[in-house]
Amino acid sequence: MRERIPVAVLGATGMVGQWFVRLLSRHPWFELVAVAASERSAGKPYGKAVRWIFPEEVPEGVRELPVVPPEPGIPGKIVFSALPAAVAGQVEEGFARAGYVVSSNARSHRYDPDVPLLVAEVNPDHLELIELQRRNRGWKGFIVTGGNCSTVQLVLALEPLRRRFGVEAVVVTTMQALSGAGFSGVPGNAILDNVLPHIPGEEEKMAREPKKMWGKLTPEGIEETGVRISAHCHRVATRDGHLEAVSVKLSRPAAREEIVEALENFRGLPQELGLPSAPKQPIVVRSEPDRPQPRLDREVGGGMSVVVGRIRPCPVLDWRMEVLGHNTVRGAAGGAILNAELVVAKGLV
Amino acid sequence: MRERIPVAVLGATGMVGQWFVRLLSRHPWFELVAVAASERSAGKPYGKAVRWIFPEEVPEGVRELPVVPPEPGIPGKIVFSALPAAVAGQVEEGFARAGYVVSSNARSHRYDPDVPLLVAEVNPDHLELIELQRRNRGWKGFIVTGGNCSTVQLVLALEPLRRRFGVEAVVVTTMQALSGAGFSGVPGNAILDNVLPHIPGEEEKMAREPKKMWGKLTPEGIEETGVRISAHCHRVATRDGHLEAVSVKLSRPAAREEIVEALENFRGLPQELGLPSAPKQPIVVRSEPDRPQPRLDREVGGGMSVVVGRIRPCPVLDWRMEVLGHNTVRGAAGGAILNAELVVAKGLV
Amino acid sequence: MRERIPVAVLGATGMVGQWFVRLLSRHPWFELVAVAASERSAGKPYGKAVRWIFPEEVPEGVRELPVVPPEPGIPGKIVFSALPAAVAGQVEEGFARAGYVVSSNARSHRYDPDVPLLVAEVNPDHLELIELQRRNRGWKGFIVTGGNCSTVQLVLALEPLRRRFGVEAVVVTTMQALSGAGFSGVPGNAILDNVLPHIPGEEEKMAREPKKMWGKLTPEGIEETGVRISAHCHRVATRDGHLEAVSVKLSRPAAREEIVEALENFRGLPQELGLPSAPKQPIVVRSEPDRPQPRLDREVGGGMSVVVGRIRPCPVLDWRMEVLGHNTVRGAAGGAILNAELVVAKGLV
Amino acid sequence: MRERIPVAVLGATGMVGQWFVRLLSRHPWFELVAVAASERSAGKPYGKAVRWIFPEEVPEGVRELPVVPPEPGIPGKIVFSALPAAVAGQVEEGFARAGYVVSSNARSHRYDPDVPLLVAEVNPDHLELIELQRRNRGWKGFIVTGGNCSTVQLVLALEPLRRRFGVEAVVVTTMQALSGAGFSGVPGNAILDNVLPHIPGEEEKMAREPKKMWGKLTPEGIEETGVRISAHCHRVATRDGHLEAVSVKLSRPAAREEIVEALENFRGLPQELGLPSAPKQPIVVRSEPDRPQPRLDREVGGGMSVVVGRIRPCPVLDWRMEVLGHNTVRGAAGGAILNAELVVAKGLV
């Protein structure tokens, strides 16, 4: 790839926005040429407008970029959206209409029948919806969305089992990191010496998104699958990395070694295509009794792998396991970048 | 009750031992007359031997008690055992043989067929095993055990549902407090910004203990019930209060209001007898979307109630809910004291 | 005291406001008759408007009080102000003008030359400023302010030393609790595995307030003392209780036992008058090497005592010690209530 | 440097030992050829014996090394000692006697008059003590020690000021990370929602070590300097990175820009020699109001730089600042490796 593709980030000063900036600043295919955020920040150089959350400095080259309003006309062919859901819907449509490729982390368009809800290793064929989307809406550009952070890692971890044994039902309890709520989303006063047993909307997303991700592509859109997901969502005092305790009911019997083998050997289209953000091994299996742990395992594969451990029989459903994923990388910015890489590799940009 | 019954605590310097001391120091029926601990502490006054974990001072009257070795002959009719499992088995037997009533928090004798595994509100009829136990072993005294902390609160919360609708299967994910591992059990380095997805032996206890607690009393002992419990156990950065995310399959259909009503109105024998440590309401139901929370709800009923919230349908089993209990009170020292009160009220001391 | 004095809380839904409500709901002299907060909450019953932060329920009798706007005309003779500084200045003046006694926790009027900056045990004579204040401003009511939380506990702990040996200079490093910033003031993401080495405005307040508190009353107002305070302020991951490491230079030599004796035996006017919120012992000295600790010692004296420990020589100044105080009780709501009690006892209401 | 020098780590399974292993496994000059630990671990491959604390795997090449007892005869020319103080004294002497170069992190020999207490940028001339040491003791090898973690970062940060303006007195309050106490040194129960205001022996070390580090080399050994250090030491809930609030009295007046300039431009012998572990910039100055912060700044310079911020006048002494250093890198393993590099560069191995 000779020239890098110009890209922009919408909502660039928030937590996920900053992850986009960080990951894009060293990207081999993409060149970050614009950072957009709400009016309050507009006009300032990004390095002044942002309350940078990472140890290293704001990347050179981005530091001086002026923050612009998130409106079509800004430079870039691809825009990555970390906008809050309240505004993402309309703004993203405006960009798609104007010819941009939108890779979104917002939930606004996830359930639109002609918008792919994409986990690059899981349902890359859903990109065919783009044609339908353009036809339906008369847009030059299009929108691709990624799933909710806690869904993405679950669906990715279960994908090899679904392919080989079928997945009928899942009971999953999440212990989600603070970063999933944005930088200021959870007060220290609320979480110190505490667990919050509720994350608004999260259980509903976890129940519904997999039905579409695992759904069948038809000429009219995605036919949702009937998988049943029962999610219990919690916020705990970790910084990054969602841990999920999973009980799963399979369609066909599976032996433990078959499960381990299926997970470890799983490779998706991003791995076949050698996409820059694709981890070599999407699913890493640990055999120690006390892994995965958020602090120790969240960075595996640059935060793009999911780590699975404690695979053992379930006395109620069929199998139990622990699944860990980096919520702001695989579950947000990194996932959306991988989706965009797939879009590029498919020749859609 | 005129004169208070003299009691002793075995393992009095550990975390659960200190809870025993704290709760007994203001008990209307029991008078703490001896504190026993390992040789290292023996001889010192309790106030010097203990690394007291509570804000208030070591209770007067206990402070000056000399620490004695945990051997029969020490004063007291009832002994409360907070001994580590490695030594509890034999030591407790020695006390029972010598005529003491042993109310134990250790796991050593939990599965003995002639030893009650008692949650006072749930299976008070299991106290009839004592006769069998004495006969079997030729002891003057006897042993009564309480369950594992994470089991006790689960079984108590589900008891009203079991009685009214039947409980067939449970998938439960625990988020357990640091105190459950003893004061030094979990290093700060291990838990800061982390969740530990494994507690040795805990899932096995949660799977097995309810089978006995809910088992049927027969002349030969307890006939275990067939309930299936799938537990996923975690350690999180909270001080006290185990939170459990529960999915339960019932034998008969239940409406939400029936469940709430069954939980809120549940009263057991300790409530009927007005035992001093019995909470007026064993199960408190919260209707807010984000309760129970460990820091806010663990002290309800003096730590002896369990708090249930987020009662909602489960797409995989039947119902979901969150259950919170104070692990070192209801799940350990407080529970064992309540058990002893029941023993006294039944005329067994 | 026959009839309780009707009082109101301004800013009743915030963290300090809730502490006022909690403490006043069981007050022997004061009856909480009105709760005021910003327009957003106005009209709702307090129990609905507030996001209650305490384990117990919103006190009965307050739960149903309608939230009113913080404007003169609301019931109550005394108003306790937990308003944010941005609005406190004008609103408090309005109330004083209308004849209310205002006991404020806000910083707006702390440095007004005719407004007492009161720590009830330290400078009760400064209440004489009230006459000047009323004369100056033509008000029927008046304003009394309490100090910044981290100042109050420092000045109280040092008062016996100042009286007996003189205090010339202090180097103090604070490790302040999350609650000091309000419920949402410090994001969990900012403080987990971290210390924040800056609290805006705090070091300036700690440097200046003691000069006035320890100042001399003159006909024209307070003549500030020349004490030099060098403060290093930090936010740490504790919920309540500010810990302060103090090095102090005295005017005259002092022996360790004299210091201990001076601190332990210190009693102020609130103790002499037996004011309801006055702790029996304003300063509690601990002799253990590792006390005071926030979690263990913040509740001493119902949160109204300060706890001092580790009294030892300082190789640079004269003496070193650790000082702990409950920031939202002694350092905020409790302190302002004690101030109001003093005002009442002085016959000023 | 053609061939790498064979080195060993004593106490290789502890926290500092693991840091040694991690840092040495990728070292350009040193080749880790032996790992020694107490008998319990001896014989096992290192990868099995250690409870590895880092996210990445135990380095290949070390994983299979058998753990040996810490006794002379093991391979290696240089041994890095992370032994507990209780045994370090004698064991290190044995190694030095047998001809090894010992670079120690233990406190046992820090005050020996013929043993350098070395901070490589600060007192490299103290290496001349080695000749005296060998002569005194008749050893073929020798011992070099590093300082206590909290001392090292303080002395390094103040060194440019000492050289240029003189340092007379320091009041320093530390907020030290959990890792400084070893992996299991601080129970989660002790530190959650808490600050510990005491670290045994730490204040004494901080008061004394700088006197030697800044002492004058004489034929008889080091003549200690008269600097007065008043330390207040605390443990806080951070994982790595000690934060220190410093007030310093200088011998000569200094302007703020002179201080900043002196700190930023400071370079020591390790920088001149280009030693592999020497950070390019030993002292990094931040100008933001709320830096340094442990989580954001501890990794600067690979953990070998100290970060200074909030430089401002002190109303009691002369200047105030915040100093942050990585306690287990600069303050322990990394510092000892840098010391060894200096020894090599000086031709002493």
Side-chain angles (χ1 to χ4, degrees):
Chain A
M1 196 153 290
R2 283 296 133 71
E3 281 204 2
R4 291 195 295 163
I5 299 168
V7 304
V9 173
L10 312 182
T13 54
M15 190 169 236
V16 171
Q18 293 188 40
W19 271 103
F20 273 123
V21 168
R22 186 190 217 192
L23 294 170
L24 289 169
S25 71
R26 49 192 190 206
H27 198 280
W29 291 8
F30 300 143
E31 182 181 7
L32 183 56
V33 295
V35 284
S38 63
E39 288 167 32
R40 214 166 11 131
S41 305
K44 296 188 205 161
Y46 183 72
K48 302 279 183 198
V50 74
R51 184 182 168 179
W52 191 245
I53 59 169
F54 301 110
E56 81 275 2
E57 304 284 318
V58 177
E60 243 179 301
V62 187
R63 210 177 300 158
E64 298 305 326
L65 280 183
V67 175
V68 294
E71 291 161 11
I74 66 175
K77 278 191 175 170
I78 302 175
V79 297
F80 293 98
S81 167
L83 293 168
V87 302
Q90 289 213 329
V91 172
E92 292 175 7
E93 289 179 22
F95 274 92
R97 189 177 300 117
Y100 296 82
V101 171
V102 180
S103 181
S104 174
N105 185 55
R107 70 165 186 272
S108 310
H109 293 288
R110 280 186 195 150
Y111 304 134
D112 289 6
D114 54 0
V115 172
L117 179 51
L118 190 66
V119 179
E121 284 90 345
V122 172
N123 59 344
D125 56 315
H126 287 198
L127 282 179
E128 295 184 27
L129 284 176
I130 289 171
E131 202 189 314
L132 178 66
Q133 184 188 143
R134 282 171 148 168
R135 206 168 49 222
N136 280 349
R137 316 206 186 197
W139 290 348
K140 284 185 290 179
F142 58 87
I143 299 172
V144 170
T145 66
N148 183 55
C149 48
S150 47
T151 312
V152 168
Q153 67 183 66
L154 177 67
V155 164
L156 178 53
L158 293 179
E159 177 64 8
L161 305 186
R162 189 187 70 90
R163 290 192 187 175
R164 189 143 154 200
F165 309 104
V167 167
E168 305 223 324
V170 178
V171 177
V172 53
T173 298
T174 69
M175 286 148 280
Q176 301 183 222
L178 298 176
S179 60
F183 191 77
S184 301
V186 182
N189 275 307
I191 201 65
L192 181 71
D193 183 17
N194 209 9
V195 173
L196 301 178
H198 185 235
I199 301 176
E202 198 82 357
E203 297 178 351
E204 293 74 10
K205 292 178 204 164
M206 291 192 74
R208 183 162 174 200
E209 290 178 13
K211 291 178 198 278
K212 181 172 176 184
M213 290 168 174
W214 284 337
K216 196 175 148 193
L217 185 69
T218 74
E220 292 77 40
I222 303 299
E223 187 180 305
E224 291 193 354
T225 182
V227 65
R228 287 168 296 138
I229 314 267
S230 170
H232 306 247
C233 292
H234 304 77
R235 190 74 68 192
V236 297
T238 54
R239 181 153 171 79
D240 286 305
H242 290 352
L243 184 65
E244 300 181 348
V246 176
S247 279
V248 59
K249 186 169 174 46
L250 303 176
S251 310
R252 289 178 292 284
R256 192 179 179 284
E257 57 268 36
E258 291 175 312
I259 289 175
V260 171
E261 194 268 345
L263 295 174
E264 287 191 326
N265 292 343
F266 175 71
R267 299 294 180 274
L269 187 54
Q271 283 72 35
E272 286 171 32
L273 296 172
L275 300 183
S277 299
K280 286 220 176 58
Q281 191 167 339
I283 302 169
V284 172
V285 177
R286 305 283 312 207
S287 57
E288 300 89 334
D290 61 351
R291 299 289 280 269
Q293 293 178 21
R295 203 187 54 227
L296 294 179
D297 296 306
R298 61 195 169 201
E299 307 282 359
V300 173
M304 289 296 287
S305 297
V306 297
V307 183
V308 177
R310 304 206 68 223
I311 300 170
R312 60 206 193 283
C314 177
V316 176
L317 303 182
D318 292 324
W319 287 94
R320 282 182 288 187
M321 62 195 68
E322 297 277 337
V323 174
L324 180 81
H326 197 302
N327 54 300
T328 35
V329 180
R330 167 56 83 163
I337 292 173
L338 181 61
N339 286 350
E341 291 168 5
L342 187 63
V343 163
V344 169
K346 287 270 194 177
L348 292 160
V349 176
Chain B
M1 195 153 290
R2 282 297 134 69
E3 280 204 3
R4 291 196 294 162
I5 300 167
V7 303
V9 173
L10 312 181
T13 54
M15 190 169 236
V16 171
Q18 293 188 41
W19 271 103
F20 273 123
V21 169
R22 185 190 217 192
L23 294 170
L24 290 168
S25 71
R26 51 193 190 203
H27 198 278
W29 291 7
F30 300 143
E31 182 180 6
L32 182 57
V33 296
V35 283
S38 63
E39 288 168 31
R40 211 164 13 128
S41 306
K44 296 187 206 161
Y46 183 72
K48 302 279 182 198
V50 74
R51 184 182 168 181
W52 191 245
I53 58 169
F54 301 110
E56 81 276 2
E57 304 285 317
V58 177
E60 244 181 300
V62 187
R63 210 176 302 158
E64 298 306 325
L65 279 183
V67 174
V68 295
E71 290 161 11
I74 66 175
K77 278 191 173 170
I78 303 175
V79 297
F80 293 98
S81 167
L83 293 168
V87 302
Q90 288 212 331
V91 173
E92 291 174 8
E93 288 180 23
F95 274 93
R97 189 176 301 116
Y100 295 81
V101 171
V102 179
S103 181
S104 174
N105 185 54
R107 71 164 185 271
S108 310
H109 292 288
R110 281 185 194 149
Y111 304 133
D112 290 5
D114 54 359
V115 172
L117 179 52
L118 191 66
V119 180
E121 284 90 344
V122 172
N123 58 345
D125 55 315
H126 287 198
L127 282 179
E128 294 183 29
L129 283 177
I130 289 171
E131 203 190 312
L132 179 66
Q133 185 188 143
R134 283 170 148 166
R135 205 168 52 220
N136 280 349
R137 315 206 185 197
W139 291 348
K140 284 184 290 179
F142 58 86
I143 299 172
V144 171
T145 65
N148 183 54
C149 48
S150 48
T151 312
V152 169
Q153 66 183 66
L154 177 67
V155 163
L156 179 52
L158 293 178
E159 177 65 7
L161 305 187
R162 189 186 71 89
R163 291 192 186 175
R164 191 143 152 200
F165 310 105
V167 167
E168 304 222 324
V170 178
V171 177
V172 54
T173 298
T174 70
M175 287 149 279
Q176 301 184 220
L178 299 176
S179 61
F183 191 77
S184 301
V186 182
N189 275 308
I191 201 66
L192 181 70
D193 184 17
N194 209 8
V195 173
L196 301 178
H198 185 234
I199 300 176
E202 198 82 358
E203 297 178 351
E204 293 75 9
K205 292 178 203 164
M206 291 192 76
R208 182 161 176 201
E209 291 177 14
K211 291 178 197 278
K212 181 171 177 184
M213 290 168 175
W214 284 338
K216 197 176 149 194
L217 185 70
T218 74
E220 293 78 39
I222 303 299
E223 187 179 307
E224 291 193 355
T225 182
V227 65
R228 287 168 296 139
I229 313 267
S230 171
H232 306 248
C233 292
H234 303 78
R235 190 73 67 192
V236 297
T238 55
R239 181 151 171 81
D240 286 306
H242 290 353
L243 185 65
E244 300 181 348
V246 176
S247 278
V248 58
K249 185 169 173 45
L250 303 175
S251 312
R252 289 178 292 284
R256 192 178 179 285
E257 57 269 33
E258 290 176 313
I259 290 175
V260 171
E261 194 268 343
L263 295 174
E264 288 191 324
N265 292 343
F266 175 71
R267 299 293 180 275
L269 187 54
Q271 282 73 35
E272 287 171 31
L273 296 172
L275 301 183
S277 300
K280 287 221 174 57
Q281 191 167 341
I283 302 169
V284 172
V285 177
R286 305 282 314 207
S287 57
E288 299 90 333
D290 61 350
R291 299 289 280 270
Q293 292 178 21
R295 202 186 55 228
L296 294 179
D297 295 307
R298 61 195 170 202
E299 307 282 0
V300 172
M304 289 296 287
S305 297
V306 297
V307 182
V308 177
R310 304 206 68 222
I311 300 170
R312 61 207 193 282
C314 177
V316 176
L317 303 182
D318 291 324
W319 287 93
R320 283 183 286 187
M321 62 195 68
E322 297 276 337
V323 174
L324 180 82
H326 196 302
N327 52 300
T328 34
V329 180
R330 168 55 84 162
I337 292 172
L338 182 61
N339 286 350
E341 290 167 5
L342 187 63
V343 163
V344 170
K346 288 269 195 178
L348 292 161
V349 176
Chain C
M1 193 151 292
R2 282 297 134 69
E3 280 205 2
R4 290 194 296 161
I5 299 169
V7 303
V9 174
L10 312 182
T13 54
M15 189 170 237
V16 172
Q18 293 188 40
W19 272 103
F20 273 123
V21 168
R22 188 190 213 190
L23 295 170
L24 290 168
S25 71
R26 49 195 190 201
H27 197 279
W29 290 8
F30 300 143
E31 182 180 7
L32 183 57
V33 296
V35 284
S38 63
E39 287 168 30
R40 212 167 12 134
S41 305
K44 294 187 208 163
Y46 183 72
K48 302 279 183 197
V50 73
R51 186 181 166 179
W52 191 245
I53 59 169
F54 301 110
E56 80 275 3
E57 304 284 318
V58 177
E60 244 180 300
V62 188
R63 208 176 304 158
E64 298 306 325
L65 280 183
V67 176
V68 294
E71 291 161 11
I74 65 173
K77 278 191 173 172
I78 302 174
V79 296
F80 293 97
S81 167
L83 292 168
V87 303
Q90 289 214 329
V91 172
E92 292 174 7
E93 288 179 24
F95 274 92
R97 188 176 301 115
Y100 295 82
V101 171
V102 179
S103 181
S104 174
N105 185 56
R107 70 165 185 272
S108 311
H109 293 287
R110 281 185 195 152
Y111 304 132
D112 289 5
D114 55 359
V115 172
L117 179 51
L118 191 67
V119 180
E121 284 91 346
V122 172
N123 59 343
D125 56 316
H126 287 198
L127 282 179
E128 295 183 29
L129 284 176
I130 288 169
E131 203 189 313
L132 180 65
Q133 184 186 143
R134 282 172 148 163
R135 206 169 50 224
N136 280 349
R137 316 207 186 197
W139 290 348
K140 286 183 290 180
F142 58 87
I143 298 173
V144 171
T145 65
N148 182 53
C149 47
S150 47
T151 313
V152 169
Q153 67 182 66
L154 178 67
V155 164
L156 178 53
L158 293 178
E159 178 65 8
L161 306 185
R162 189 186 70 90
R163 292 192 186 176
R164 191 144 154 199
F165 309 105
V167 167
E168 305 223 325
V170 179
V171 177
V172 54
T173 298
T174 69
M175 287 148 280
Q176 301 183 221
L178 298 176
S179 60
F183 190 77
S184 301
V186 182
N189 274 307
I191 201 65
L192 181 70
D193 184 16
N194 209 8
V195 174
L196 301 178
H198 185 236
I199 301 176
E202 198 82 358
E203 296 178 353
E204 293 76 9
K205 291 178 203 165
M206 290 193 76
R208 184 162 175 199
E209 291 177 12
K211 291 179 198 278
K212 181 171 178 183
M213 289 169 176
W214 285 337
K216 196 177 147 194
L217 186 69
T218 75
E220 291 78 40
I222 304 299
E223 187 180 304
E224 291 194 354
T225 183
V227 64
R228 287 168 295 138
I229 314 266
S230 171
H232 307 246
C233 293
H234 304 77
R235 190 73 68 191
V236 298
T238 54
R239 180 152 172 80
D240 286 307
H242 290 353
L243 184 66
E244 300 182 349
V246 176
S247 279
V248 60
K249 185 170 173 47
L250 303 175
S251 310
R252 290 178 292 283
R256 192 178 179 285
E257 57 270 35
E258 291 176 312
I259 289 175
V260 171
E261 194 268 342
L263 296 174
E264 286 191 325
N265 292 343
F266 175 71
R267 300 292 181 275
L269 187 54
Q271 283 73 35
E272 286 170 31
L273 296 172
L275 300 183
S277 300
K280 288 220 175 58
Q281 190 167 340
I283 303 169
V284 172
V285 177
R286 305 283 313 208
S287 57
E288 300 88 333
D290 61 350
R291 301 289 280 267
Q293 293 178 20
R295 202 185 55 226
L296 294 179
D297 295 308
R298 62 194 168 202
E299 306 282 0
V300 172
M304 288 297 286
S305 297
V306 298
V307 182
V308 177
R310 305 207 64 224
I311 300 171
R312 62 206 192 283
C314 176
V316 176
L317 303 182
D318 291 325
W319 287 93
R320 283 182 286 188
M321 62 195 67
E322 298 276 338
V323 175
L324 180 81
H326 196 302
N327 53 300
T328 34
V329 179
R330 168 56 83 162
I337 292 172
L338 181 62
N339 286 351
E341 291 167 5
L342 187 63
V343 163
V344 169
K346 288 270 194 178
L348 291 161
V349 176
Chain D
M1 194 152 291
R2 282 296 135 69
E3 279 206 1
R4 291 195 295 162
I5 299 169
V7 303
V9 173
L10 312 182
T13 53
M15 189 170 237
V16 171
Q18 293 187 40
W19 271 102
F20 273 122
V21 169
R22 188 190 214 192
L23 294 169
L24 290 168
S25 71
R26 48 195 191 202
H27 197 280
W29 289 8
F30 300 144
E31 182 181 5
L32 182 57
V33 296
V35 284
S38 64
E39 289 168 29
R40 211 165 12 130
S41 306
K44 294 187 210 164
Y46 183 72
K48 302 278 183 198
V50 74
R51 185 183 167 179
W52 191 245
I53 59 169
F54 300 111
E56 80 276 3
E57 303 285 318
V58 178
E60 243 180 302
V62 188
R63 209 176 303 159
E64 298 306 327
L65 279 182
V67 175
V68 295
E71 291 161 11
I74 65 174
K77 279 190 173 172
I78 303 175
V79 297
F80 293 98
S81 167
L83 293 168
V87 302
Q90 289 214 330
V91 173
E92 291 175 8
E93 288 179 24
F95 274 93
R97 188 177 300 116
Y100 295 81
V101 171
V102 179
S103 180
S104 175
N105 184 56
R107 69 166 185 271
S108 311
H109 293 287
R110 282 185 194 151
Y111 304 132
D112 290 5
D114 55 0
V115 172
L117 180 51
L118 191 66
V119 180
E121 283 91 346
V122 172
N123 59 344
D125 56 316
H126 287 198
L127 282 180
E128 294 183 29
L129 284 177
I130 289 170
E131 203 188 313
L132 180 65
Q133 185 188 142
R134 283 172 148 166
R135 206 168 51 223
N136 279 351
R137 316 207 186 197
W139 290 348
K140 285 184 290 180
F142 58 86
I143 299 173
V144 170
T145 66
N148 182 52
C149 48
S150 47
T151 313
V152 169
Q153 66 183 67
L154 177 67
V155 164
L156 178 53
L158 293 178
E159 177 65 7
L161 306 186
R162 189 186 70 90
R163 292 192 186 175
R164 190 143 156 200
F165 309 105
V167 167
E168 306 223 322
V170 179
V171 177
V172 54
T173 298
T174 69
M175 287 148 279
Q176 302 183 220
L178 298 176
S179 60
F183 191 78
S184 301
V186 182
N189 274 307
I191 200 65
L192 180 71
D193 184 15
N194 209 8
V195 174
L196 302 178
H198 185 236
I199 301 176
E202 197 82 357
E203 296 177 354
E204 294 75 9
K205 292 178 204 164
M206 291 193 76
R208 184 164 175 198
E209 291 177 12
K211 290 178 197 279
K212 180 170 179 185
M213 290 169 176
W214 284 337
K216 197 177 147 192
L217 186 69
T218 75
E220 291 77 42
I222 303 298
E223 187 181 306
E224 291 193 356
T225 183
V227 65
R228 288 168 296 138
I229 313 267
S230 170
H232 307 247
C233 293
H234 304 77
R235 190 73 68 192
V236 296
T238 55
R239 178 148 172 82
D240 286 306
H242 290 352
L243 184 66
E244 300 183 349
V246 176
S247 278
V248 60
K249 186 168 173 47
L250 303 175
S251 311
R252 290 179 292 284
R256 192 177 180 286
E257 56 269 37
E258 291 175 313
I259 290 175
V260 171
E261 195 268 343
L263 296 175
E264 287 191 326
N265 292 343
F266 175 71
R267 300 292 181 275
L269 188 54
Q271 283 72 36
E272 286 171 32
L273 297 172
L275 301 182
S277 300
K280 288 219 174 59
Q281 191 167 339
I283 303 169
V284 172
V285 177
R286 305 284 311 207
S287 58
E288 300 89 332
D290 61 350
R291 301 288 282 267
Q293 292 177 22
R295 204 187 52 227
L296 294 179
D297 295 307
R298 62 194 169 202
E299 307 282 359
V300 172
M304 288 297 286
S305 297
V306 297
V307 183
V308 177
R310 304 206 67 222
I311 300 170
R312 61 206 193 282
C314 176
V316 176
L317 304 182
D318 291 325
W319 287 94
R320 282 182 286 187
M321 63 196 66
E322 298 277 337
V323 175
L324 180 80
H326 196 302
N327 54 299
T328 34
V329 180
R330 168 56 83 162
I337 292 172
L338 182 62
N339 286 350
E341 291 168 5
L342 187 62
V343 163
V344 170
K346 287 271 195 178
L348 291 161
V349 176

